[in-house]
Amino acid sequence: MPPVIARTREELAAVRSGARGALALVPTMGALHEGHRSLIRRARAEAGAETGTVVVSVFVNPLQFGPGEDFDRYPRTLAADLAVCAEEGVDAVFAPGREVMYPAEPEVTVRAGTMGERVEGVTRPGHFDGMLTVVLKLFNLVRPDLAVFGEKDAQQLAMIRRMVADLDVPVRIVGAPTVREPDGLALSSRNRYLSAAERATALALSRALRAGADAAADGPAAILAAARGVLDAAAAAEPPLAPDYLVLVDPVTFTEITGPHEGPAVLAVAGRVGATHLIDNVHLQPGPAKEH
Ligand code: PAF
């Protein structure tokens, strides 16, 4: 059965009141790909194959794009997204217009705090404020029991977990693993901007993470040096990769790990190829630094 499409708050309220069992929400900005399919399947598994309800939201949130970013050209492919949702057995798609999500220019918004000013927040000031604001609104409108987000946006996931804890939002957050192309490129709706040559350069991001992960046993400095080597080569490629950051961070706070470290870490990387901003990350367990 095709999913019910709710475009207004009233239509969403009808979906909500007809929902059976646990309700799982998968918030997206559309342009759905295999990575989103894996989030939807995880939502179905978590909500209950027979008894639960899966809702996918599709909304390109203007609040989380800065001046000069790709809000205008962000792919809007609702017909194709609905077909994906139908194939995946989604119960309902919430696809509001801007006037539904923001009937008035928002005055009171979520502030991401210092955590939102780190790492990706340096490159995209205000991005996490806008992202958290729309996610909290979606939680309030859909009132899900659980919501599924991809680990590819590791800082986004950490910030949502933090918001839910700090503001006592009654929803369980589930993280789902990054889905990659066979050659390692992390799936992203922005990959469709890339020419073949740009895509080849973009592969350096996942290669850098693999090089870093391979050096994990030798400690933080070795991880960063190994990953940096790959990025430096890509910076000299044609077309070049313009790195935005390469950092080893605490997975919960996203503070940078600069010295010896015990416990899990995230190696996060971002860069631009042409006009396209791409991010990727890997979880690893750094060993003690090697004595030289
Ligand atoms: O990850 C995304 O697609 C967006 O940031 C989200 C969570 C749907 C909020 O707009």
Side-chain angles (χ1 to χ4, degrees):
M1 237 188 13
V4 173
I5 303 167
R7 291 183 173 276
T8 64
R9 287 162 183 252
E10 293 71 26
E11 287 166 358
L12 178 64
V15 166
R16 187 68 194 77
S17 61
R20 56 198 177 101
L23 195 158
L25 172 66
V26 182
T28 81
M29 297 203 301
L32 302 185
H33 49 65
E34 212 44 55
H36 294 109
R37 285 184 190 262
S38 81
L39 302 183
I40 293 169
R41 288 173 197 157
R42 180 66 182 271
R44 172 61 67 200
E46 295 281 339
E50 304 299 330
T51 55
T53 301
V54 174
V55 176
V56 170
S57 64
V58 176
F59 179 64
V60 185
N61 172 37
L63 258 54
Q64 68 189 73
F65 290 79
E69 291 189 7
D70 57 344
F71 175 71
D72 287 335
R73 74 168 179 145
Y74 199 87
R76 285 150 172 96
T77 58
L78 188 60
D81 296 342
L82 292 174
V84 168
C85 290
E87 280 169 24
E88 295 299 331
V90 167
D91 296 294
V93 174
F94 179 43
R98 185 178 181 146
E99 68 295 347
V100 171
M101 280 309 280
Y102 300 112
E105 215 32 55
E107 178 70 27
V108 178
T109 54
V110 179
R111 211 181 76 72
T114 53
M115 195 172 161
E117 290 162 8
R118 296 179 195 138
V119 191
E120 182 75 355
V122 174
T123 307
R124 304 186 68 192
H127 165 69
F128 288 115
D129 296 356
M131 181 279 294
L132 289 178
T133 299
V134 83
V135 168
L136 185 59
K137 283 170 73 72
L138 288 167
F139 288 168
N140 287 334
L141 288 165
V142 180
R143 284 182 285 114
D145 297 290
L146 66 112
V148 185
F149 296 88
E151 286 173 0
K152 159 144 180 307
D153 296 301
Q155 191 175 3
Q156 166 171 286
L157 177 57
M159 300 237 41
I160 291 167
R161 288 192 197 284
R162 186 64 195 251
M163 174 179 76
V164 163
D166 284 353
L167 302 182
D168 294 310
V169 186
V171 61
R172 181 163 67 87
I173 302 301
V174 175
T178 303
V179 178
R180 297 181 180 281
E181 303 273 14
D183 58 9
L185 188 71
L187 294 193
S188 162
S189 302
R190 291 190 167 97
N191 290 353
R192 61 182 77 194
Y193 299 150
L194 300 171
S195 68
E198 288 173 340
R199 190 189 177 288
T201 294
L203 276 176
L205 296 176
S206 55
R207 279 206 208 104
L209 296 177
R210 264 205 312 280
D214 288 347
D218 294 338
I223 294 168
L224 289 166
R228 173 70 57 207
V230 178
L231 295 185
D232 286 349
E238 194 44 51
L241 172 77
D244 285 320
Y245 56 79
L246 170 71
V247 284
L248 193 64
V249 295
D250 177 279
V252 175
T253 62
F254 266 70
T255 45
E256 259 189 88
I257 296 166
T258 48
H261 174 79
E262 269 182 38
V266 167
L267 181 62
V269 68
R272 272 162 297 114
V273 188
T276 306
H277 175 71
L278 296 167
I279 65 173
D280 200 354
N281 72 86
V282 67
H283 285 257
L284 40 76
Q285 189 85 28
K290 281 258 160 74
E291 300 291 333
H292 291 288

